[in-house]
Amino acid sequence: MVKSLPMRICKLGEEVLRTKCEEVNPEEINDEMRALFNEMFETMISANGCGLAAPQIGISKRFFVIIADDDVRRVFINPVITKTSSELSDYEEGCLSLPGFSESIRRPAKVSISALNEFGKRFVIEDAEGLLGRCIQHENDHLDGILYIDRGDESVKNEIIEKFKKKAERAAEKAAAKARKQASIAAKIAAKQNKK
């Protein structure tokens, strides 16, 4: 069996990460979509993540996948957070769309959620806590264009955004230089052929 390559994960600065996602039409939940969920799980695992949301792979739809500390693969389609606890907890969060960064973020300690699974069946999780509760809140935020840095310290957020901006500028300069080099090589080849 040929193993597929992991999907490309969108990074901070890409518009899709800041877009409020559209609901999934339940009729779209089919074998093709289930294959997409499997690909998301494989990509997430290979990147050492515990959750991955649709916008992170460039799809502006309301779904995400999670494998928390109980090792259960969970798919959440059109999720709705129905309840959060008044008790809060701090947890060091990272994100596959912001590799290399993490920050302690305060969120409700428990969360209840209702969603469709990969077969379009409604399920409810009551008072999820620990890593599962944290992942649910983090991934659900992605569906509304919210990143964990939006819930943390403003100066840390600005620093991370600036670093990603510089990284994107360097990548763009590198790509432009490569394109110029390829154009130069193509021009030399064309010039040689014209001499013949």
Side-chain angles (χ1 to χ4, degrees):
M1 188 175 124
V2 180
K3 192 164 168 48
S4 64
L5 290 169
M7 304 161 129
R8 189 183 82 79
I9 297 173
C10 298
K11 302 291 187 287
L12 179 65
E14 294 184 56
E15 196 179 322
V16 69
L17 292 176
R18 293 306 198 172
T19 306
K20 192 171 169 70
C21 298
E22 295 173 20
E23 289 236 324
V24 174
N25 179 337
E27 289 172 21
E28 293 176 62
I29 303 169
N30 54 25
D31 287 345
E32 194 178 323
M33 198 168 197
R34 283 185 281 278
L36 175 71
F37 298 143
N38 283 333
E39 256 188 280
M40 287 175 75
F41 278 120
E42 295 312 312
T43 298
M44 182 189 84
I45 292 164
S46 70
N48 294 319
C50 54
L52 189 63
Q56 291 182 277
I57 55 162
I59 300 171
S60 199
K61 291 279 191 176
R62 298 190 78 80
F63 61 85
F64 59 81
V65 301
I66 286 175
I67 302 178
D69 37 14
D70 57 5
D71 282 337
V72 176
R73 288 183 177 220
R74 292 183 175 92
V75 175
F76 297 77
I77 304 168
N78 298 338
V80 176
I81 289 181
T82 55
K83 188 176 73 177
T84 55
S85 66
S86 55
E87 180 196 345
L88 302 174
S89 71
D90 294 322
Y91 191 90
E92 193 75 17
E93 288 189 33
C95 181
L96 297 178
S97 293
L98 287 85
F101 296 95
S102 67
E103 184 182 358
S104 182
I105 302 294
R106 181 163 288 180
R107 294 187 189 264
K110 294 181 182 179
V111 63
S112 297
I113 190 166
S114 169
L116 300 177
N117 68 11
E118 64 271 38
F119 300 102
K121 299 277 183 253
R122 172 84 39 205
F123 71 97
V124 172
I125 297 176
E126 295 283 350
D127 296 326
E129 56 188 333
L131 185 61
L132 178 60
R134 180 64 56 156
C135 285
I136 286 170
Q137 293 176 75
H138 178 112
E139 299 309 326
N140 198 68
D141 270 355
H142 274 299
L143 308 185
D144 292 320
I146 299 167
L147 300 173
Y148 79 86
I149 55 172
D150 301 327
R151 298 194 179 279
D153 183 281
E154 192 70 23
S155 63
V156 173
K157 175 183 174 176
N158 292 335
E159 185 185 325
I160 292 172
I161 288 171
E162 196 53 43
K163 284 182 179 173
F164 268 86
K165 210 179 278 179
K166 284 180 181 163
K167 199 174 177 181
E169 285 166 7
R170 284 195 303 272
E173 284 168 15
K174 209 172 174 181
K178 188 177 177 182
R180 283 193 300 274
K181 190 175 180 179
Q182 287 173 337
S184 170
I185 292 167
K188 286 177 184 172
I189 292 168
K192 276 185 183 177
Q193 287 175 340
N194 287 340
K195 283 182 181 176
K196 288 181 183 176

